[in-house]
Amino acid sequence: MIAAQDLHTDFQFPQEAESQLSSDTDFEDPDGKNAKTGKSTPFKRGRKVPGDKAKGGGAARGPGVSWVNGHHQENGMENMTLFEVVKMGKSATQSVIDDWIEAYKHDRDIALLDLINFFIQCSGCRGAVSAEMFRHMQNSEIIRKMTEEFDEDSGDYPLTLSGPQWKKFRISFCDFIAVLVRQCQYSIIYDEYMMDTVISLLTGLSDSQVRAFRHTSTLAAMKLMTALVNVALNLSINMDNTQRQYEAERNKVIAKRANDRLELLLQKRKELQENQDEIENMMNAIFKGVFVHRYRDAIADIRAICIEEIGMWMKLYSDAFLNDSYLKYVGWTMHDKQGEVRLKCLTALQGLYYNRELGTRLELFTSRFKDRIVSMTLDKEYDVAVQAIKLLTLVLQSSDEVLTAEDCESVYHLVYSAHRPIAVSAGEFLFKKLFSHRGPEEEGLPRRGRQSLNGSLIKTTVFFFLESELHEHGAYLVDSLWECASELLKDWETMISLLLDEPVPGEEALSDRQETALVEIMLCAIRQACECHPPVGRGTGKRVLTAKEKKTQLDDRTRITEMFAVALPLLLAKYCVDIDKVTNLLQIPKYFDLDIYTTGRLEKHLDALLRQIWEVIDKHTDTEVLEACSTTYHYLCNEEFTIYNRVDIARSQLLDELVDKFNRLLEDFLEEGEEPDDDDSYQVLSTLKKISAFHNAHDLTKWDLFTSNYRLLNTGLQNGDMPEQIVIQAMQCTHYIILWHLAKVSGGTSPKGDMVTLRKQMRAFCLMCQRYLNSINTAVKEQAFTTLCDLLLIFSHQIMASGREQLEPLVYTPDSSLQTELLNFIMDQVFIDQDDDSNSTDGHQDDEANKIEALHKRRNLLAAYCKLITYNVVEMNTGADIFKQYMRYYNDYGDIIKETMSKTRQIDKIQCARTLILSLQKLFNEMLSELGFNFDRSSSAFCGIKELARRFSLTFGLDQLKTREAIAMLHKNGIEFSFKEPSPQGEGSPPLNLAFLDILSEFSSKLIRQDKRTVHMYLERFMTFQMALQREDCWLPLISYRNSLQAGGDDDTMSVISGISSRGSTIRSKKSKTATVGKRKLPEEENSCSSSDAVWMNREQNVQTPVMMHSPHLTSTALRDPKKMRPEDSYVAAYAMPTEQHPHQAVPPQQQQQQQQPHHPHQATIDYNTQVRWMLTQRQQAEARQQQERVSMQYAKMRNHMQQAIRRGTGLMEDDEEPIVEDVMMSSEDRLEDINEGMDFDTMDIDLPASKNRRERTELKPDYFDPSSIMDDSVLNVSMF
């Protein structure tokens, strides 16, 4: 038997690793009472006693079964290794382990060597432990040798490989260890050799820096520990049974007592006790040697393994493990930064709290870590939050007093979560807390009705819904409670009784607010039962119902129809004047099975329902109520059911009365010479609202309402005093008339003359709406604009799609004046500041709500116009005024504008590019008109245009070939715009729009190398030789743009750095002569450019190009002697910089003569060609030198990276020097920001002390596309000039 105090190890641990792993941090032992002096490492491998080895080691143990060189053999045929057997699956595991046990009994060294190599191979190591190594080397030396032989070509190993085979391997690996211990539990594990060797090996491997060794050995050690826990549990049960037998035998009278049996029982108990002690020593060695260090490992999977297994130990053998000494590890690890580890903690605790008998042992743990569990209900990982809620539900079941009211309230509001599993778990918690407790006085209550138990529970649900004040929609509450309280929510009989029946004496009646909430909950429960899918925002879509669910759905729908066909007219009669209740109640009939009206002989209840709907229409003018009535009629008027005639007659009578009333009121209202009073206006408006609501869902063309509505609109336009709501309703009703007329014409069921009538009516109505765009009333203008956008889209060329060419006469294309008016409306009504909106109130909350509503309305208006652009209804270039607002109104409309740009690019890339450059040109012209032509290029206005250009450039994506022509066209238009206007200061000054080239340079990175040369050649067509020599500040945009075009090949993706001050650039250019980075040029690129690259250039071949080669970066009027130039001067520039002259400094006569002497044209051409040849020669030499230097630098950099990669390996070698509590739960300076950065809420560090939290995240992340964030300093420090 092995004593715990005699355990020692033959592993040598580095001092630095020992110092960093010697503490469990302040969670474990704040007072330092249990400070460790070293790792408690198990079992030095015992040496064999001479003579232990069986004779003929490795000989056959039975007929046809043997082990040779670590390979399993059957019938003399070599089969496979233990690793290969486990990889096959667990079907062969049992027989292989039995064979291994037989081999161990004959020669335990060879058998153990097979087992050792099994663990090595399972780690992915290709090396093998030889018999010589096993016999003469310590475990630490063996592990070091295996580490050296580990294949580091790949970071994968069996436990991390994907695929079904390797997933099964992990299961088979764990089963192998469990079966091995189970088969050896009666003899071999007590021989002080096998288990000592295995535990010692696994402990050493678990401390390796190789992740594969550490991961595999930790899993093996934890599964070995679990198997030993099962053995210890069996021993404990046997000891208890033996003790009871001994007590029973000893309590017998002396005459009947069997002394021999007592001695046998005593001997058996002694042996069991010795075995128990030895098993406990083994478990203690594994726990202290592996678990204590690996539960804080840097790898989350290793930590998860440890926590999962300790939960199994506490659940299986609670007498030994369920105490605070082991529970603390689970509590500490609940703060882990990885969700999978936190999830294992919660599932481990659920197994403990599920057993109510263990509740008393968990009281201290619950009091200490309850707050952490509650906070985990808001965990960023949804799975963790779900399990935290389920754990709290188990805690609630074990004891009602543990969770406070604040703890419960933090879970209650999660029933409104958008994530359905969280909401369902919270609903179960709510149901257990509020609905599961029944007092003795509730036992005798009836099952249904107002006085039933469900009646009080439904009231409780209503009270909770009203008091939570966290959500306005009962559908989410009903969906959360549906799985655990569906029987309660389907008790519609009790709900109807609560609404219709009078309260009994002593019972408190429901208030009006409570009745409204009950009606909403009742409607949501009906919808959930009939549709069988969660509300909007929960779930990805409708799932396929099973046969049982379909049957339940049909049964529920039948019950609903039979019950509410009778009750709904009564409910409508009682709540006829209540808008909210009536609106919800009128939605119930759409879930009816209308056949039941006939089969159940319920026609009289149908008549009662139709009468009540008529009364509701007569009493209400609210749009929501009227639309609900119209929808109900639409559902009931279904020709497939026999009730159609009955409902259709009632609908016709209702509409006849409404139309007659409207025509009669309209005549009086429009009668000349009389001023209509408010009562007449109200009557016309209410009747028109009801007709519009019905016209939305029903075809009213036979009543010919177009003439009346057009007359009403025309009168309002002429007089100008028409109430705005009447105009809005008339427009809406006319819109419906035209759409219903179009539906008839499209169906081919109308006469030929109807198309002509429709065309006239549509065009007349569009002209009417166009005239209303100039109305002084904002609401009227918005309605006219929305109606126009809808009609223009419907009657565009798209109307002829899908084989409807006969509708071509109906196509309506807006003229330029209409397009201009629509665009002006958008610019005036949409692109306004929030403070300019006049629809605000004094209350802060109401003000915010109104602002949000106004923003939503403006977004709808912009989206309506953008649809006209994307469907080619209006000219695409009208989108330039929209696109130029992208940056200014990015927060409000950025998504709409970006989507519009994307759609237009899909339609026509080149036209889209023209539109984008046009928007930039418009902004540039606006800036010039505001700041003048001498503006500062560092001003916020100019920088804003450059930033907008950069954003536009990013929208073209990374595939330069797809956008090649569009980008080229964009540069062409930009260059033409820059040189279009001459300088207002006369000849010699830069063109008026030359600064636009600085904006255009933001698109240079999107040009491929060939096109950069083509664009550069096109640019030189607009340049003169004198322009190429200029170096003043006002010419810097030209220099910058030319440099961006000459930066070829290697830096295609580099964006031009924005925001360079012209003054700073001038100072730098004067102080030093900086060299531009030379670029590789292919021979064919030097000689010619393909004709396809310059399609648009060939149109102007007749233009004389002043400069047809790369212009010098720095120029001068005097030619230097090449021999006297410095090396850097020879390739930086072909000309020297002119020397600055002091105003009072005399100029030499020779220079004066040169300046005053006129140049002969022919002589200037000769001098120019000489300069060009000399300049090209010097540049070629400079580029050759730069190319050589760049190749050397790239080689050195590549070599440095390769050396670093070799040192890093593939991630297999890891230092386990830092305490994992620091690494897992606290700040780690040398690691990347974890996933918590992107979350709006973070529960990672809720319970950690402030000093341990991650560093303050006060700085914003750099823009991903910002050059300063994707380039190193060596690139950014290169001067552009």
Side-chain angles (χ1 to χ4, degrees):
M1 186 175 66
I2 303 173
Q5 59 268 24
D6 295 336
L7 298 178
H8 59 281
T9 182
D10 52 5
F11 303 111
Q12 299 297 326
F13 297 101
Q15 292 182 357
E16 62 273 16
E18 172 63 30
S19 62
Q20 294 185 5
L21 288 169
S22 60
S23 173
D24 286 333
T25 72
D26 53 349
F27 283 110
E28 179 177 10
D29 191 12
D31 298 328
K33 296 178 182 180
N34 300 323
K36 296 182 291 184
T37 58
K39 284 186 180 179
S40 176
T41 313
F43 300 100
K44 178 178 179 180
R45 186 174 71 247
R47 294 302 175 188
K48 295 182 298 178
V49 179
D52 283 351
K53 183 176 179 180
K55 295 181 180 181
R61 279 91 60 197
V65 180
S66 63
W67 285 81
V68 177
N69 295 328
H71 290 260
H72 179 223
Q73 286 202 354
E74 292 184 5
N75 299 324
M77 297 293 293
E78 183 177 357
N79 192 5
M80 55 188 69
T81 62
L82 286 175
F83 172 73
E84 293 169 342
V85 171
V86 170
K87 194 166 70 169
M88 283 178 54
K90 60 183 180 179
S91 59
T93 303
Q94 182 73 40
S95 60
V96 170
I97 289 177
D98 293 338
D99 294 341
W100 182 89
I101 292 174
E102 290 298 323
Y104 182 84
K105 292 178 180 178
H106 285 77
D107 192 330
R108 61 184 187 180
D109 278 352
I110 293 180
L112 271 179
L113 183 61
D114 296 339
L115 191 59
I116 290 173
N117 281 319
F118 166 71
F119 289 118
I120 297 296
Q121 288 177 329
C122 289
S123 301
C125 180
R126 295 184 180 179
V129 180
S130 63
E132 188 69 20
M133 294 169 59
F134 178 69
R135 190 174 298 112
H136 296 98
M137 295 176 66
Q138 298 293 326
N139 276 344
S140 58
E141 298 172 344
I142 294 175
I143 294 173
R144 189 178 303 112
K145 181 68 175 176
M146 292 297 101
T147 302
E148 295 172 356
E149 297 182 4
F150 206 100
D151 178 23
E152 297 186 9
D153 293 341
S154 173
D156 294 328
Y157 49 95
L159 292 184
T160 60
L161 290 173
S162 59
Q165 179 186 12
W166 296 109
K167 290 181 180 179
K168 294 179 180 178
F169 169 79
R170 181 175 184 135
I171 299 173
S172 300
F173 177 74
C174 299
D175 291 340
F176 177 86
I177 297 173
V179 174
L180 178 64
V181 175
R182 186 173 69 242
Q183 295 299 102
C184 299
Q185 64 177 321
Y186 299 111
S187 58
I188 297 179
I189 61 174
Y190 305 110
D191 67 354
E192 301 183 2
Y193 185 67
M194 186 200 82
M195 292 301 294
D196 296 13
T197 305
V198 172
I199 293 175
S200 180
L201 173 72
L202 294 179
T203 303
L205 288 174
S206 69
D207 196 51
S208 172
Q209 292 182 351
V210 180
R211 177 188 302 187
F213 279 152
R214 205 167 65 251
H215 190 180
T216 307
S217 60
T218 301
L219 177 60
M222 294 299 98
K223 292 298 179 181
L224 182 64
M225 178 80 164
T226 303
L228 291 175
V229 168
N230 283 312
V231 174
L233 182 60
N234 292 333
L235 289 174
S236 177
I237 294 173
N238 291 334
M239 285 181 61
D240 292 340
N241 294 336
T242 304
Q243 183 66 27
R244 285 196 297 270
Q245 293 174 5
Y246 175 79
E247 294 293 340
E249 190 68 29
R250 193 180 62 175
N251 291 335
K252 292 181 181 179
V253 295
I254 298 177
K256 295 183 179 181
R257 185 185 303 169
N259 293 328
D260 294 340
R261 178 172 172 77
L262 287 175
E263 292 179 1
L264 290 174
L265 290 173
L266 283 174
Q267 182 64 27
K268 181 180 179 181
R269 187 179 66 176
K270 182 179 179 181
E271 292 177 358
L272 290 174
Q273 184 63 49
E274 290 177 353
N275 293 341
Q276 181 82 2
D277 294 340
E278 192 160 350
I279 293 296
E280 289 178 359
N281 287 336
M282 296 176 191
M283 294 190 298
N284 187 54
I286 296 176
F287 186 82
K288 292 184 177 180
V290 179
F291 178 89
V292 170
H293 305 290
R294 296 281 69 80
Y295 91 98
R296 304 177 300 165
D297 194 276
I299 307 303
D301 197 13
I302 297 178
R303 303 196 300 272
I305 289 171
C306 295
I307 297 303
E308 182 179 15
E309 295 306 313
I310 196 176
M312 292 295 298
W313 308 337
M314 291 185 289
K315 182 179 178 180
L316 293 174
Y317 197 6
S318 58
D319 292 339
F321 288 96
L322 189 56
N323 54 63
D324 298 328
S325 299
Y326 296 96
L327 282 169
K328 63 182 180 181
Y329 296 105
V330 181
W332 295 338
T333 316
M334 284 194 294
H335 296 271
D336 197 285
K337 70 176 182 180
Q338 293 297 327
E340 59 178 309
V341 183
R342 301 195 299 273
L343 186 64
K344 293 296 182 183
C345 294
L346 295 173
T347 52
L349 292 173
Q350 287 176 13
L352 302 177
Y353 280 100
Y354 185 79
N355 188 350
R356 298 190 178 185
E357 297 178 356
L358 305 178
T360 55
R361 303 186 191 179
L362 294 167
E363 290 179 355
L364 183 60
F365 175 85
T366 305
S367 62
R368 168 62 181 86
F369 293 101
K370 180 197 65 174
D371 294 339
R372 174 57 185 162
I373 298 173
V374 173
S375 67
M376 291 174 76
T377 59
L378 298 176
D379 196 277
K380 63 182 182 180
E381 300 287 344
Y382 289 140
D383 293 340
V384 177
V386 169
Q387 298 304 323
I389 298 172
K390 290 183 177 180
L391 178 58
L392 288 176
T393 305
L394 294 174
V395 173
L396 183 66
Q397 290 178 348
S398 62
S399 177
D400 293 337
E401 302 175 356
V402 175
L403 299 178
T404 62
E406 291 77 9
D407 297 334
C408 295
E409 289 175 1
S410 64
V411 182
Y412 289 161
H413 76 275
L414 294 177
V415 297
Y416 299 107
S417 172
H419 189 258
R420 192 168 190 270
I422 291 179
V424 170
S425 301
E428 184 180 358
F429 179 89
L430 175 65
F431 184 77
K432 298 290 184 184
K433 179 65 177 177
L434 299 182
F435 304 145
S436 298
H437 305 288
R438 299 185 180 181
E441 68 280 358
E442 298 177 346
E443 295 297 332
L445 295 178
R447 187 170 179 269
R448 301 285 183 184
R450 188 183 187 96
Q451 302 301 318
S452 65
L453 175 62
N454 281 350
S456 62
L457 296 181
I458 291 172
K459 289 181 181 179
T460 304
T461 306
V462 172
F463 298 156
F464 171 80
F465 178 56
L466 292 175
E467 292 174 2
S468 61
E469 296 181 355
L470 294 170
H471 210 278
E472 297 180 355
H473 303 291
Y476 294 92
L477 175 61
V478 170
D479 181 58
S480 301
L481 294 171
W482 193 255
E483 293 187 5
C484 59
S486 59
E487 293 300 324
L488 173 66
L489 296 173
K490 289 181 181 179
D491 190 0
W492 298 296
E493 181 181 349
T494 301
M495 296 181 186
I496 294 172
S497 178
L498 288 171
L499 291 171
L500 292 178
D501 297 346
E502 293 296 328
V504 297
E507 180 187 1
E508 184 178 357
L510 293 176
S511 64
D512 179 71
R513 185 163 173 259
Q514 291 169 352
E515 289 178 340
T516 303
L518 178 55
V519 171
E520 182 176 355
I521 292 174
M522 181 174 65
L523 173 64
C524 295
I526 293 172
R527 186 203 64 82
Q528 187 87 6
C530 294
E531 295 183 356
C532 294
H533 65 80
V536 177
R538 284 189 184 170
T540 56
K542 295 182 179 180
R543 62 184 181 87
V544 179
L545 301 180
T546 63
K548 182 178 180 181
E549 289 174 336
K550 289 181 179 179
K551 184 178 183 304
T552 304
Q553 181 186 28
L554 294 176
D555 293 343
D556 289 339
R557 192 173 184 184
T558 302
R559 281 187 58 227
I560 290 169
T561 307
E562 293 174 348
M563 196 175 300
F564 284 94
V566 178
L568 185 57
L570 302 176
L571 291 170
L572 288 174
K574 181 176 181 180
Y575 301 110
C576 184
V577 296
D578 193 306
I579 295 177
D580 294 332
K581 295 186 182 68
V582 167
T583 304
N584 286 329
L585 289 172
L586 285 173
Q587 297 182 46
I588 295 178
K590 68 180 180 180
Y591 302 107
F592 284 177
D593 182 2
L594 298 182
D595 279 333
I596 296 181
Y597 271 115
T598 304
T599 59
R601 300 188 179 277
L602 301 175
E603 289 87 351
K604 63 177 182 179
H605 297 289
L606 176 61
D607 295 336
L609 175 61
L610 296 176
R611 285 194 301 271
Q612 291 300 325
I613 295 177
W614 194 322
E615 290 186 13
V616 169
I617 295 172
D618 185 56
K619 293 181 180 180
H620 286 275
T621 59
D622 186 78
T623 304
E624 191 174 2
V625 176
L626 295 176
E627 289 181 352
C629 294
S630 175
T631 304
T632 303
Y633 263 109
H634 180 265
Y635 179 73
L636 295 176
C637 286
N638 192 332
E639 297 181 1
E640 297 179 0
F641 301 99
T642 55
I643 63 172
Y644 168 74
N645 292 330
R646 188 185 298 265
V647 179
D648 184 52
I649 292 173
R651 180 184 60 177
S652 299
Q653 293 175 352
L654 172 63
L655 292 175
D656 284 338
E657 182 177 335
L658 288 175
V659 172
D660 292 342
K661 181 179 179 181
F662 173 68
N663 291 329
R664 186 176 62 257
L665 291 172
L666 186 62
E667 291 296 330
D668 297 338
F669 186 74
L670 299 179
E671 187 176 350
E672 297 181 3
E674 294 184 7
E675 185 72 20
D677 55 12
D678 294 340
D679 184 61
D680 294 338
S681 300
Y682 174 78
Q683 292 293 333
V684 172
L685 176 61
S686 61
T687 307
L688 190 56
K689 271 188 174 183
K690 296 171 184 178
I691 294 176
S692 297
F694 269 85
H695 215 333
N696 188 13
H698 304 268
D699 184 8
L700 307 185
T701 53
K702 66 179 181 180
W703 280 275
D704 190 18
L705 293 168
F706 180 83
T707 305
S708 302
N709 282 278
Y710 187 82
R711 180 184 173 193
L712 184 62
L713 290 172
N714 192 33
T715 304
L717 197 61
Q718 293 175 357
N719 299 337
D721 57 352
M722 186 75 68
E724 64 174 44
Q725 286 300 320
I726 293 180
V727 175
I728 292 174
Q729 292 298 326
M731 282 186 186
Q732 199 167 357
C733 186
T734 309
H735 185 205
Y736 295 147
I737 293 170
I738 292 176
L739 294 184
W740 278 109
H741 201 169
L742 175 63
K744 275 193 170 184
V745 171
S746 301
T749 58
S750 61
K752 294 183 179 180
D754 284 0
M755 184 175 294
V756 178
T757 304
L758 174 60
R759 185 172 183 270
K760 292 180 179 179
Q761 291 180 353
M762 180 267 297
R763 292 177 178 269
F765 182 57
C766 287
L767 291 176
M768 182 69 67
C769 291
Q770 182 178 354
R771 295 171 65 186
Y772 267 106
L773 284 177
N774 300 319
S775 173
I776 60 174
N777 191 285
T778 303
V780 172
K781 288 193 294 185
E782 290 177 353
Q783 182 64 40
F785 176 83
T786 304
T787 304
L788 266 176
C789 289
D790 290 344
L791 289 177
L792 289 176
L793 191 62
I794 294 170
F795 289 94
S796 67
H797 59 278
Q798 306 282 347
I799 198 174
M800 298 185 296
S802 303
R804 293 179 296 184
E805 289 78 7
Q806 73 276 10
L807 299 180
E808 184 178 0
L810 297 177
V811 175
Y812 180 63
T813 303
D815 55 14
S816 58
S817 62
L818 178 56
Q819 294 186 34
T820 303
E821 289 191 36
L822 291 174
L823 181 60
N824 291 336
F825 175 86
I826 287 294
M827 303 307 297
D828 295 338
Q829 301 296 327
V830 174
F831 294 107
I832 58 176
D833 293 332
Q834 192 78 281
D835 297 335
D836 296 341
D837 195 1
S838 59
N839 297 328
S840 60
T841 57
D842 297 334
H844 177 70
Q845 186 174 0
D846 294 337
D847 184 36
E848 290 299 322
N850 289 331
K851 285 183 177 180
I852 294 174
E853 184 178 355
L855 175 61
H856 183 66
K857 183 187 298 183
R858 293 197 299 270
R859 284 175 57 86
N860 288 337
L861 295 174
L862 178 60
Y865 184 78
C866 288
K867 282 192 292 186
L868 299 181
I869 298 176
T870 56
Y871 284 96
N872 274 335
V873 178
V874 298
E875 297 294 335
M876 190 181 295
N877 56 15
T878 59
D881 290 287
I882 306 294
F883 296 162
K884 72 180 184 181
Q885 308 290 345
Y886 181 62
M887 288 297 298
R888 183 178 178 185
Y889 294 95
Y890 181 80
N891 292 333
D892 294 341
Y893 318 117
D895 55 338
I896 299 176
I897 299 176
K898 186 175 181 180
E899 183 66 18
T900 305
M901 287 190 287
S902 175
K903 294 294 184 183
T904 53
R905 186 175 294 113
Q906 295 175 13
I907 297 171
D908 190 340
K909 294 184 178 65
I910 295 179
Q911 185 61 32
C912 176
R914 288 196 180 103
T915 306
L916 292 179
I917 199 68
L918 178 61
S919 64
L920 295 174
Q921 292 169 3
K922 287 188 174 185
L923 284 176
F924 187 83
N925 288 332
E926 292 174 3
M927 182 194 66
L928 285 181
S929 62
E930 181 180 352
L931 302 180
F933 61 89
N934 289 324
F935 65 91
D936 185 4
R937 288 191 298 114
S938 63
S939 63
S940 60
F942 186 78
C943 292
I945 301 176
K946 284 202 69 176
E947 177 62 19
L948 178 61
R950 187 182 74 87
R951 295 293 185 96
F952 284 170
S953 175
L954 297 178
T955 62
F956 282 95
L958 299 177
D959 192 344
Q960 294 176 322
L961 293 179
K962 288 184 178 180
T963 59
R964 182 179 182 182
E965 295 180 0
I967 292 293
M969 181 58 64
L970 187 146
H971 279 273
K972 176 180 179 295
N973 289 357
I975 292 172
E976 293 173 352
F977 174 78
S978 300
F979 291 92
K980 180 179 180 181
E981 298 291 338
S983 173
Q985 297 178 344
E987 187 176 356
S989 299
L992 179 64
N993 300 334
L994 186 67
F996 189 78
L997 291 178
D998 204 2
I999 299 171
L1000 192 61
S1001 62
E1002 293 292 340
F1003 297 93
S1004 298
S1005 62
K1006 297 299 179 181
L1007 288 168
I1008 61 177
R1009 185 166 49 187
Q1010 298 94 319
D1011 290 349
K1012 284 185 178 180
R1013 176 180 174 85
T1014 306
V1015 172
H1016 186 270
M1017 293 174 63
Y1018 188 73
L1019 172 67
E1020 289 182 335
R1021 294 187 179 189
F1022 294 86
M1023 294 173 54
T1024 63
F1025 182 69
Q1026 293 298 326
M1027 289 183 182
L1029 306 180
Q1030 299 297 331
R1031 286 296 175 270
E1032 287 80 5
D1033 286 356
C1034 57
W1035 294 96
L1036 287 180
L1038 177 59
I1039 300 172
S1040 171
Y1041 184 57
R1042 294 182 67 203
N1043 285 348
S1044 69
L1045 296 178
Q1046 291 171 348
D1050 297 336
D1051 283 341
D1052 278 345
T1053 59
M1054 185 178 73
S1055 175
V1056 179
I1057 305 171
S1058 304
I1060 297 179
S1061 173
S1062 59
R1063 181 176 300 178
S1065 303
T1066 305
I1067 294 174
R1068 287 194 297 271
S1069 64
K1070 290 181 179 180
K1071 286 187 177 180
S1072 62
K1073 301 176 181 180
T1074 56
T1076 58
V1077 181
K1079 301 296 176 184
R1080 278 185 313 179
K1081 292 182 174 59
L1082 299 177
E1084 60 269 24
E1085 295 173 17
E1086 291 290 338
N1087 298 329
S1088 64
C1089 63
S1090 63
S1091 60
S1092 61
D1093 295 340
V1095 173
W1096 46 268
M1097 287 182 57
N1098 294 334
R1099 302 173 187 171
E1100 303 182 16
Q1101 290 295 332
N1102 57 343
V1103 180
Q1104 295 297 325
T1105 306
V1107 184
M1108 291 303 296
M1109 69 292 167
H1110 294 291
S1111 300
H1113 293 281
L1114 298 176
T1115 57
S1116 174
T1117 58
L1119 181 64
R1120 287 189 177 183
D1121 185 356
K1123 299 180 180 179
K1124 297 181 180 180
M1125 292 181 67
R1126 295 191 302 249
E1128 61 269 23
D1129 293 340
S1130 65
Y1131 70 88
V1132 167
Y1135 304 95
M1137 290 291 292
T1139 306
E1140 291 188 7
Q1141 297 292 339
H1142 194 273
H1144 301 286
Q1145 185 176 352
V1147 180
Q1150 295 179 356
Q1151 294 185 12
Q1152 292 181 2
Q1153 185 178 0
Q1154 292 177 0
Q1155 294 174 3
Q1156 296 174 2
Q1157 181 180 0
H1159 295 281
H1160 192 276
H1162 181 69
Q1163 183 66 30
T1165 304
I1166 296 176
D1167 294 341
Y1168 171 75
N1169 291 334
T1170 303
Q1171 294 172 0
V1172 167
R1173 286 195 298 272
W1174 183 88
M1175 178 188 68
L1176 290 176
T1177 303
Q1178 296 298 323
R1179 175 171 296 175
Q1180 290 173 359
Q1181 296 175 1
E1183 288 180 348
R1185 286 193 297 271
Q1186 288 183 344
Q1187 178 70 13
Q1188 185 176 2
E1189 292 175 359
R1190 185 163 60 253
V1191 169
S1192 301
M1193 291 175 63
Q1194 290 178 351
Y1195 173 76
K1197 189 183 232 182
M1198 181 178 66
R1199 184 177 180 183
N1200 184 28
H1201 288 173
M1202 290 179 63
Q1203 291 175 352
Q1204 292 179 1
I1206 291 173
R1207 284 196 295 268
R1208 285 196 304 265
T1210 56
L1212 289 171
M1213 301 295 293
E1214 297 175 345
D1215 294 332
D1216 191 21
E1217 297 179 352
E1218 296 186 2
I1220 197 61
V1221 174
E1222 177 71 19
D1223 181 49
V1224 171
M1225 293 180 284
M1226 304 175 191
S1227 176
S1228 178
E1229 295 295 337
D1230 59 341
R1231 293 182 177 270
L1232 294 173
E1233 292 294 339
D1234 64 316
I1235 198 172
N1236 298 348
E1237 287 287 354
M1239 303 300 296
D1240 294 333
F1241 58 92
D1242 185 0
T1243 63
M1244 250 315 295
D1245 305 315
I1246 287 180
D1247 290 345
L1248 297 182
S1251 62
K1252 304 296 184 181
N1253 284 335
R1254 293 189 177 274
R1255 59 180 177 270
E1256 294 291 330
R1257 301 180 175 98
T1258 56
E1259 298 181 357
L1260 293 176
K1261 290 184 177 180
D1263 189 345
Y1264 179 78
F1265 296 101
D1266 189 358
S1268 62
S1269 66
I1270 61 175
M1271 301 184 202
D1272 55 16
D1273 295 336
S1274 64
V1275 175
L1276 293 179
N1277 290 336
V1278 174
S1279 176
M1280 293 169 57
F1281 311 112

